[in-house]
Amino acid sequence: MDDSGGGEVSSTGSKKVAIVPGDGIGPEVIKSALAVLEAAGARFEQIPLEIGLSRWKRTGEVMAEEDLRTLKKCDCILFGAITTPPDPNYRSVLLRLRRELDLYANIRPFRSKDLDFIIVRENTEGLYSGLEEVGAEESRTLRVITRRGSQRIAEKACDLVGERRNLTIVHKSNILHSDRLFLKTCQDVARRRLVAYDDMLVDAAAYNLVINPKRFDVLVTTNLFGDILSDEAAGVIGSLGLCASANIGQSYALFEPIHGSAPDIAGRDIANPIGAIRSAAMMMKWLGNAEVAKRIEAAVQKALEEGKKTPDLGGSCNTRQVTEAISQYLKLQLD
Ligand code: NAI
Ligand code: MG
Protein backbone atom coordinates (compact mmCIF):
# COMPACT_ATOMS: atom_id res chain seq x y z
CA MET A 1 0.00 0.00 0.00
CA ASP A 2 1.17 3.48 -0.70
CA ASP A 3 1.12 5.09 2.72
CA SER A 4 4.06 7.48 2.58
CA GLY A 5 2.03 10.42 1.41
CA GLY A 6 4.15 10.75 -1.70
CA GLY A 7 7.85 10.36 -2.49
CA GLU A 8 9.11 13.81 -3.37
CA VAL A 9 12.83 13.22 -3.70
CA SER A 10 14.81 10.51 -5.39
CA SER A 11 18.08 9.93 -3.54
CA THR A 12 18.59 9.67 0.21
CA GLY A 13 22.40 9.79 0.37
CA SER A 14 22.74 13.53 1.02
CA LYS A 15 19.54 14.04 2.98
CA LYS A 16 19.57 15.73 6.37
CA VAL A 17 17.28 14.26 8.99
CA ALA A 18 16.67 16.07 12.29
CA ILE A 19 16.59 13.47 15.07
CA VAL A 20 14.39 14.50 18.00
CA PRO A 21 14.24 11.61 20.51
CA GLY A 22 12.29 13.62 23.14
CA ASP A 23 11.42 12.21 26.56
CA GLY A 24 10.36 9.02 28.31
CA ILE A 25 10.45 6.07 25.92
CA GLY A 26 11.11 8.49 23.00
CA PRO A 27 14.92 8.08 23.14
CA GLU A 28 14.58 4.29 23.58
CA VAL A 29 12.42 3.78 20.49
CA ILE A 30 14.32 6.29 18.34
CA LYS A 31 17.57 4.48 19.19
CA SER A 32 15.91 1.29 17.92
CA ALA A 33 14.66 2.98 14.76
CA LEU A 34 18.16 4.31 13.98
CA ALA A 35 19.71 0.88 14.58
CA VAL A 36 17.21 -0.69 12.18
CA LEU A 37 17.81 2.00 9.54
CA GLU A 38 21.52 1.30 9.78
CA ALA A 39 20.97 -2.44 9.45
CA ALA A 40 18.85 -1.73 6.36
CA GLY A 41 21.75 0.18 4.81
CA ALA A 42 19.88 3.53 4.83
CA ARG A 43 22.21 6.51 4.53
CA PHE A 44 21.49 10.09 5.56
CA GLU A 45 22.99 12.81 7.71
CA GLN A 46 21.69 12.97 11.29
CA ILE A 47 21.16 16.31 13.05
CA PRO A 48 20.35 15.55 16.72
CA LEU A 49 18.21 18.07 18.61
CA GLU A 50 17.05 18.17 22.22
CA ILE A 51 13.41 19.26 22.37
CA GLY A 52 10.97 18.46 25.18
CA LEU A 53 10.68 18.17 28.93
CA SER A 54 14.39 17.49 29.54
CA ARG A 55 15.22 20.70 27.66
CA TRP A 56 12.54 22.59 29.59
CA LYS A 57 13.98 21.39 32.90
CA ARG A 58 17.44 22.55 31.84
CA THR A 59 16.60 25.88 30.19
CA GLY A 60 12.97 26.75 30.95
CA GLU A 61 11.92 26.29 27.32
CA VAL A 62 10.93 23.20 25.38
CA MET A 63 12.41 24.41 22.11
CA ALA A 64 14.36 27.52 21.12
CA GLU A 65 13.71 29.69 18.04
CA GLU A 66 17.13 28.63 16.78
CA ASP A 67 16.00 24.98 16.82
CA LEU A 68 13.16 25.87 14.50
CA ARG A 69 15.65 27.37 12.05
CA THR A 70 17.82 24.25 12.29
CA LEU A 71 14.77 22.03 11.70
CA LYS A 72 13.81 24.03 8.63
CA LYS A 73 17.27 23.46 7.13
CA CYS A 74 16.77 19.68 7.34
CA ASP A 75 14.73 17.62 4.86
CA CYS A 76 12.53 16.05 7.52
CA ILE A 77 12.27 15.12 11.21
CA LEU A 78 12.29 11.76 12.98
CA PHE A 79 10.52 12.42 16.26
CA GLY A 80 10.13 10.22 19.37
CA ALA A 81 7.62 11.69 21.82
CA ILE A 82 7.73 14.41 24.40
CA THR A 83 6.28 14.67 27.88
CA THR A 84 4.01 17.68 28.40
CA PRO A 85 5.76 20.01 30.91
CA PRO A 86 3.85 20.80 34.13
CA ASP A 87 3.23 24.41 33.09
CA PRO A 88 -0.36 25.68 32.71
CA ASN A 89 0.74 28.11 29.97
CA TYR A 90 2.51 25.47 27.90
CA ARG A 91 1.34 25.21 24.28
CA SER A 92 2.14 21.95 22.53
CA VAL A 93 5.43 22.08 20.65
CA LEU A 94 4.27 19.34 18.31
CA LEU A 95 1.22 21.38 17.39
CA ARG A 96 3.49 24.34 16.81
CA LEU A 97 5.75 22.31 14.53
CA ARG A 98 2.79 20.94 12.61
CA ARG A 99 1.49 24.46 12.12
CA GLU A 100 4.80 26.31 11.48
CA LEU A 101 5.93 23.67 8.98
CA ASP A 102 2.37 23.38 7.60
CA LEU A 103 2.35 19.60 8.02
CA TYR A 104 -1.32 19.37 7.17
CA ALA A 105 -1.73 15.65 6.59
CA ASN A 106 -1.35 13.17 9.42
CA ILE A 107 -1.20 9.74 7.83
CA ARG A 108 -1.60 6.75 10.12
CA PRO A 109 -1.51 3.24 8.63
CA PHE A 110 -2.87 0.39 10.77
CA ARG A 111 -1.70 -3.04 9.84
CA SER A 112 -2.03 -6.45 11.49
CA LYS A 113 -2.35 -10.02 10.26
CA ASP A 114 -5.81 -9.46 8.81
CA LEU A 115 -6.33 -5.68 8.92
CA ASP A 116 -4.95 -2.95 6.72
CA PHE A 117 -6.42 0.53 6.75
CA ILE A 118 -5.24 4.14 6.96
CA ILE A 119 -6.56 7.08 8.96
CA VAL A 120 -5.87 10.43 7.30
CA ARG A 121 -6.26 13.18 9.87
CA GLU A 122 -6.38 16.89 9.11
CA ASN A 123 -3.54 18.26 11.18
CA THR A 124 -3.70 22.06 11.27
CA GLU A 125 -7.25 23.21 12.07
CA GLY A 126 -10.48 21.83 13.57
CA LEU A 127 -10.56 21.90 17.36
CA TYR A 128 -6.77 22.30 17.44
CA SER A 129 -7.05 25.85 16.08
CA GLY A 130 -5.40 27.21 19.23
CA LEU A 131 -8.17 29.83 19.33
CA GLU A 132 -9.27 29.63 22.92
CA GLU A 133 -10.72 31.78 25.64
CA VAL A 134 -10.05 30.27 29.01
CA GLY A 135 -11.87 31.49 32.10
CA ALA A 136 -12.64 30.25 35.58
CA GLU A 137 -16.38 29.94 34.86
CA GLU A 138 -16.45 29.46 31.11
CA SER A 139 -13.96 28.35 28.50
CA ARG A 140 -14.28 28.15 24.73
CA THR A 141 -12.32 26.57 21.91
CA LEU A 142 -13.07 27.61 18.36
CA ARG A 143 -13.43 24.80 15.82
CA VAL A 144 -12.17 25.98 12.45
CA ILE A 145 -12.97 24.18 9.21
CA THR A 146 -11.91 25.74 5.92
CA ARG A 147 -12.57 24.74 2.33
CA ARG A 148 -8.85 24.88 1.57
CA GLY A 149 -7.96 22.73 4.60
CA SER A 150 -10.66 20.19 3.80
CA GLN A 151 -9.77 20.13 0.12
CA ARG A 152 -6.08 19.41 0.56
CA ILE A 153 -6.63 16.68 3.16
CA ALA A 154 -9.25 15.07 0.90
CA GLU A 155 -6.80 15.18 -2.04
CA LYS A 156 -4.12 13.49 0.09
CA ALA A 157 -6.59 10.82 1.24
CA CYS A 158 -7.65 10.17 -2.39
CA ASP A 159 -3.97 9.72 -3.35
CA LEU A 160 -3.78 6.95 -0.77
CA VAL A 161 -6.92 5.11 -1.90
CA GLY A 162 -5.17 4.23 -5.17
CA GLU A 163 -6.61 1.09 -6.61
CA ARG A 164 -7.84 0.01 -3.20
CA ARG A 165 -11.46 -0.03 -2.17
CA ASN A 166 -12.79 3.27 -0.94
CA LEU A 167 -12.68 6.42 1.10
CA THR A 168 -14.81 6.89 4.21
CA ILE A 169 -15.39 10.52 5.20
CA VAL A 170 -15.84 10.67 8.99
CA HIS A 171 -17.65 13.69 10.44
CA LYS A 172 -20.40 14.87 12.81
CA SER A 173 -22.30 17.12 10.45
CA ASN A 174 -25.69 16.32 11.99
CA ILE A 175 -24.65 18.31 15.08
CA LEU A 176 -21.59 20.35 14.07
CA HIS A 177 -22.57 22.47 11.12
CA SER A 178 -18.91 23.31 10.53
CA ASP A 179 -18.59 19.69 9.43
CA ARG A 180 -21.03 20.22 6.56
CA LEU A 181 -18.27 22.13 4.80
CA PHE A 182 -15.80 19.35 5.54
CA LEU A 183 -18.16 16.64 4.29
CA LYS A 184 -19.24 18.47 1.14
CA THR A 185 -15.67 19.43 0.22
CA CYS A 186 -14.42 15.86 0.69
CA GLN A 187 -17.34 14.48 -1.36
CA ASP A 188 -16.59 16.93 -4.19
CA VAL A 189 -12.91 15.97 -4.25
CA ALA A 190 -13.68 12.22 -4.20
CA ARG A 191 -16.20 12.62 -7.03
CA ARG A 192 -13.77 14.62 -9.14
CA ARG A 193 -10.99 12.12 -8.46
CA LEU A 194 -13.31 9.19 -9.33
CA VAL A 195 -12.67 7.63 -5.92
CA ALA A 196 -15.44 5.46 -4.46
CA TYR A 197 -16.54 6.99 -1.16
CA ASP A 198 -19.06 6.84 1.62
CA ASP A 199 -19.40 8.81 4.85
CA MET A 200 -20.04 7.98 8.47
CA LEU A 201 -20.78 9.86 11.67
CA VAL A 202 -17.82 9.75 14.00
CA ASP A 203 -19.63 7.84 16.76
CA ALA A 204 -20.71 5.16 14.28
CA ALA A 205 -17.13 5.05 12.95
CA ALA A 206 -15.83 4.49 16.49
CA TYR A 207 -18.24 1.57 16.86
CA ASN A 208 -17.51 0.06 13.45
CA LEU A 209 -13.76 0.25 14.03
CA VAL A 210 -14.28 -2.22 16.87
CA ILE A 211 -16.95 -4.53 15.45
CA ASN A 212 -16.12 -4.49 11.74
CA PRO A 213 -12.73 -2.89 11.09
CA LYS A 214 -12.35 -4.82 7.80
CA ARG A 215 -14.95 -2.58 6.20
CA PHE A 216 -12.48 0.33 6.22
CA ASP A 217 -9.85 1.18 3.68
CA VAL A 218 -8.93 4.88 3.94
CA LEU A 219 -10.68 7.14 6.46
CA VAL A 220 -10.40 10.90 6.24
CA THR A 221 -11.43 13.08 9.15
CA THR A 222 -10.88 16.27 11.12
CA ASN A 223 -8.16 16.84 13.70
CA LEU A 224 -9.65 15.73 17.05
CA PHE A 225 -11.71 12.88 15.61
CA GLY A 226 -8.58 11.58 13.86
CA ASP A 227 -6.59 11.81 17.08
CA ILE A 228 -9.14 9.78 19.05
CA LEU A 229 -9.99 7.26 16.32
CA SER A 230 -6.33 6.49 15.75
CA ASP A 231 -5.68 5.51 19.37
CA GLU A 232 -8.81 3.35 19.12
CA ALA A 233 -7.54 1.82 15.89
CA ALA A 234 -4.23 1.11 17.63
CA GLY A 235 -6.17 -0.81 20.28
CA VAL A 236 -7.93 -2.80 17.55
CA ILE A 237 -4.56 -3.64 15.96
CA GLY A 238 -3.17 -4.77 19.33
CA SER A 239 -1.02 -1.95 20.76
CA LEU A 240 -0.24 1.74 20.49
CA GLY A 241 3.37 0.62 20.28
CA LEU A 242 2.86 -0.90 16.81
CA CYS A 243 1.61 2.21 15.05
CA ALA A 244 3.47 4.77 12.97
CA SER A 245 2.60 8.12 11.50
CA ALA A 246 3.74 10.69 8.97
CA ASN A 247 2.93 14.39 9.27
CA ILE A 248 3.24 15.65 5.74
CA GLY A 249 3.25 19.07 4.12
CA GLN A 250 4.09 20.41 0.69
CA SER A 251 7.81 19.67 0.87
CA TYR A 252 8.56 18.83 4.49
CA ALA A 253 7.57 16.02 6.84
CA LEU A 254 7.81 14.76 10.41
CA PHE A 255 7.65 11.05 11.21
CA GLU A 256 6.71 9.78 14.67
CA PRO A 257 5.15 6.79 16.39
CA ILE A 258 1.59 7.63 17.40
CA HIS A 259 2.19 6.91 21.08
CA GLY A 260 3.37 9.42 23.66
CA SER A 261 6.37 9.30 26.01
CA ALA A 262 4.82 6.53 28.19
CA PRO A 263 6.48 7.60 31.48
CA ASP A 264 4.90 4.55 33.16
CA ILE A 265 7.27 2.20 31.30
CA ALA A 266 10.22 4.52 30.50
CA GLY A 267 13.74 3.35 31.33
CA ARG A 268 12.76 -0.33 31.62
CA ASP A 269 13.71 -1.49 28.13
CA ILE A 270 10.19 -2.84 27.52
CA ALA A 271 8.77 -0.21 25.13
CA ASN A 272 7.61 -1.61 21.82
CA PRO A 273 9.94 -0.05 19.23
CA ILE A 274 7.87 -1.10 16.18
CA GLY A 275 5.84 2.14 15.91
CA ALA A 276 9.07 4.13 15.73
CA ILE A 277 10.66 1.62 13.34
CA ARG A 278 7.65 1.76 11.02
CA SER A 279 7.76 5.57 11.20
CA ALA A 280 11.39 5.39 10.07
CA ALA A 281 10.30 3.15 7.17
CA MET A 282 7.65 5.71 6.16
CA MET A 283 10.39 8.33 6.27
CA MET A 284 12.61 6.33 3.92
CA LYS A 285 9.74 5.97 1.48
CA TRP A 286 9.04 9.70 1.60
CA LEU A 287 12.76 10.34 1.05
CA GLY A 288 12.53 8.30 -2.13
CA ASN A 289 13.84 4.92 -0.94
CA ALA A 290 10.72 2.75 -1.12
CA GLU A 291 12.85 -0.37 -1.36
CA VAL A 292 14.36 0.08 2.12
CA ALA A 293 10.89 0.89 3.51
CA LYS A 294 9.51 -2.35 2.11
CA ARG A 295 12.38 -4.40 3.51
CA ILE A 296 11.95 -2.87 6.98
CA GLU A 297 8.22 -3.65 6.98
CA ALA A 298 8.94 -7.25 5.90
CA ALA A 299 11.48 -7.60 8.73
CA VAL A 300 8.93 -6.23 11.23
CA GLN A 301 6.34 -8.75 10.00
CA LYS A 302 8.82 -11.57 10.37
CA ALA A 303 9.72 -10.54 13.91
CA LEU A 304 6.04 -10.47 14.86
CA GLU A 305 5.35 -13.85 13.19
CA GLU A 306 8.27 -15.39 15.07
CA GLY A 307 6.98 -14.11 18.41
CA LYS A 308 9.65 -11.46 18.96
CA LYS A 309 7.24 -9.32 20.93
CA THR A 310 7.39 -6.86 23.81
CA PRO A 311 5.05 -7.23 26.84
CA ASP A 312 2.36 -4.89 25.42
CA LEU A 313 1.74 -7.66 22.82
CA GLY A 314 1.91 -10.41 25.42
CA GLY A 315 5.53 -11.25 24.57
CA SER A 316 8.57 -11.53 26.80
CA CYS A 317 11.20 -9.80 24.66
CA ASN A 318 12.66 -6.47 25.62
CA THR A 319 13.11 -3.46 23.33
CA ARG A 320 16.69 -4.40 22.54
CA GLN A 321 15.83 -8.00 21.62
CA VAL A 322 13.04 -6.96 19.23
CA THR A 323 15.35 -4.38 17.65
CA GLU A 324 18.12 -6.93 17.27
CA ALA A 325 15.78 -9.49 15.70
CA ILE A 326 14.52 -6.98 13.12
CA SER A 327 18.07 -5.77 12.40
CA GLN A 328 19.26 -9.35 12.00
CA TYR A 329 16.56 -10.15 9.41
CA LEU A 330 17.55 -7.04 7.48
CA LYS A 331 21.23 -7.95 7.53
CA LEU A 332 20.40 -11.47 6.27
CA GLN A 333 18.41 -9.90 3.41
CA LEU A 334 21.43 -7.75 2.54
CA ASP A 335 23.89 -10.70 2.41
P1 NAI B 1 1.12 7.32 25.92
O1 NAI B 1 0.86 7.07 24.49
O2 NAI B 1 2.48 7.78 26.28
O3 NAI B 1 0.81 5.98 26.75
C1 NAI B 1 -0.48 5.37 26.83
C2 NAI B 1 -0.33 3.91 27.30
O4 NAI B 1 0.23 3.14 26.24
C3 NAI B 1 0.62 3.75 28.49
O5 NAI B 1 0.14 2.76 29.33
C4 NAI B 1 1.92 3.33 27.86
O6 NAI B 1 2.73 2.54 28.70
C5 NAI B 1 1.44 2.54 26.64
N1 NAI B 1 2.41 2.66 25.54
C6 NAI B 1 2.60 3.76 24.76
N2 NAI B 1 3.57 3.53 23.88
C7 NAI B 1 4.01 2.28 24.09
C8 NAI B 1 5.02 1.48 23.50
N3 NAI B 1 5.80 1.93 22.48
N4 NAI B 1 5.21 0.23 23.97
C9 NAI B 1 4.44 -0.24 24.97
N5 NAI B 1 3.47 0.47 25.58
C10 NAI B 1 3.26 1.72 25.14
O7 NAI B 1 0.03 8.37 26.43
P2 NAI B 1 -0.09 9.10 27.84
O8 NAI B 1 0.31 8.20 28.95
O9 NAI B 1 -1.45 9.66 27.83
O10 NAI B 1 0.90 10.33 27.76
C11 NAI B 1 2.21 10.36 28.34
C12 NAI B 1 2.89 11.67 27.96
O11 NAI B 1 3.12 11.70 26.55
C13 NAI B 1 2.07 12.90 28.30
O12 NAI B 1 2.94 13.90 28.78
C14 NAI B 1 1.46 13.30 26.97
O13 NAI B 1 1.19 14.67 26.90
C15 NAI B 1 2.58 12.91 26.02
N6 NAI B 1 2.15 12.62 24.64
C16 NAI B 1 3.03 13.00 23.67
C17 NAI B 1 2.77 12.71 22.35
C18 NAI B 1 3.78 13.11 21.35
O14 NAI B 1 4.82 13.62 21.67
N7 NAI B 1 3.53 12.85 20.09
C19 NAI B 1 1.54 12.03 21.95
C20 NAI B 1 0.71 11.60 23.06
C21 NAI B 1 1.03 11.91 24.35
MG1 MG C 1 -2.87 11.23 20.08
Side-chain angles (χ1 to χ4, degrees):
M1 184 205 314
D2 183 359
D3 56 19
S4 74
E8 274 81 355
V9 273
S10 57
S11 151
T12 56
S14 59
K15 297 297 168 197
K16 270 190 190 171
V17 178
I19 309 291
V20 181
D23 307 301
I25 62 168
E28 302 171 37
V29 297
I30 290 300
K31 187 173 165 207
S32 293
L34 291 173
V36 166
L37 285 171
E38 192 183 336
R43 280 197 317 278
F44 53 86
E45 189 184 344
Q46 296 181 24
I47 315 289
L49 276 175
E50 187 195 19
I51 293 176
L53 181 68
S54 59
R55 172 72 169 271
W56 181 83
K57 283 184 178 157
R58 230 169 23 81
T59 67
E61 59 182 359
V62 176
M63 174 179 78
E65 286 308 312
E66 193 194 326
D67 296 326
L68 198 57
R69 283 193 291 276
T70 307
L71 290 172
K72 284 180 177 167
K73 282 188 207 141
C74 296
D75 292 282
C76 62
I77 306 172
L78 184 60
F79 191 93
I82 68 178
T83 303
T84 303
D87 170 1
N89 294 318
Y90 171 75
R91 305 298 285 190
S92 164
V93 77
L94 199 54
L95 241 66
R96 177 155 178 230
L97 288 176
R98 286 171 181 164
R99 213 170 297 129
E100 292 249 5
L101 303 166
D102 200 23
L103 305 174
Y104 65 90
N106 194 327
I107 296 166
R108 300 181 156 188
F110 295 94
R111 221 171 273 140
S112 68
K113 231 155 125 201
D114 43 20
L115 291 176
D116 186 2
F117 59 92
I118 307 177
I119 295 181
V120 179
R121 161 186 172 193
E122 202 292 321
N123 223 9
T124 56
E125 48 186 45
L127 262 172
Y128 292 62
S129 66
L131 301 173
E132 300 193 297
E133 282 169 32
V134 179
E137 301 301 326
E138 188 172 329
S139 292
R140 295 155 192 261
T141 300
L142 193 66
R143 186 173 193 268
V144 177
I145 304 289
T146 66
R147 184 184 299 282
R148 172 176 175 264
S150 306
Q151 206 154 19
R152 62 183 185 169
I153 198 67
E155 294 281 1
K156 191 56 99 182
C158 287
D159 291 346
L160 297 174
V161 174
E163 71 261 21
R164 302 178 87 237
R165 302 184 314 268
N166 87 317
L167 177 70
T168 303
I169 306 161
V170 177
H171 60 95
K172 188 76 183 175
S173 69
N174 56 336
I175 305 292
L176 302 174
H177 289 188
S178 52
D179 256 2
R180 291 182 182 171
L181 178 59
F182 180 75
L183 174 60
K184 164 122 190 6
T185 309
C186 290
Q187 287 170 329
D188 288 347
V189 171
R191 231 175 271 129
R192 177 170 46 75
R193 296 277 305 266
L194 304 177
V195 165
Y197 68 90
D198 57 7
D199 72 275
M200 201 180 275
L201 293 172
V202 63
D203 35 1
Y207 178 68
N208 274 289
L209 268 176
V210 172
I211 63 153
N212 188 17
K214 283 191 182 154
R215 82 164 298 293
F216 293 110
D217 177 12
V218 177
L219 300 88
V220 64
T221 190
T222 52
N223 211 335
L224 179 65
F225 295 164
D227 191 4
I228 297 171
L229 290 182
S230 38
D231 274 30
E232 185 193 355
V236 171
I237 293 295
S239 170
L240 261 181
L242 285 174
C243 305
S245 78
N247 297 264
I248 294 198
Q250 206 61 151
S251 56
Y252 199 89
L254 179 154
F255 300 86
E256 53 166 349
I258 78 168
H259 61 76
S261 60
D264 54 337
I265 59 163
R268 291 166 53 198
D269 195 30
I270 56 167
N272 189 338
I274 290 178
I277 291 168
R278 283 179 158 159
S279 303
M282 290 178 87
M283 178 178 89
M284 292 318 293
K285 187 163 181 190
W286 185 82
L287 284 171
N289 199 337
E291 210 267 323
V292 160
K294 212 182 264 171
R295 286 201 291 114
I296 292 175
E297 182 56 33
V300 165
Q301 293 290 351
K302 192 162 158 61
L304 290 171
E305 274 158 27
E306 301 204 338
K308 303 280 195 254
K309 295 177 179 172
T310 41
D312 54 308
L313 295 172
S316 57
C317 289
N318 59 30
T319 310
R320 201 168 28 81
Q321 288 165 329
V322 172
T323 308
E324 270 166 18
I326 295 170
S327 303
Q328 209 51 44
Y329 299 140
L330 282 161
K331 284 180 189 153
L332 290 175
Q333 289 171 359
L334 280 182
D335 287 343

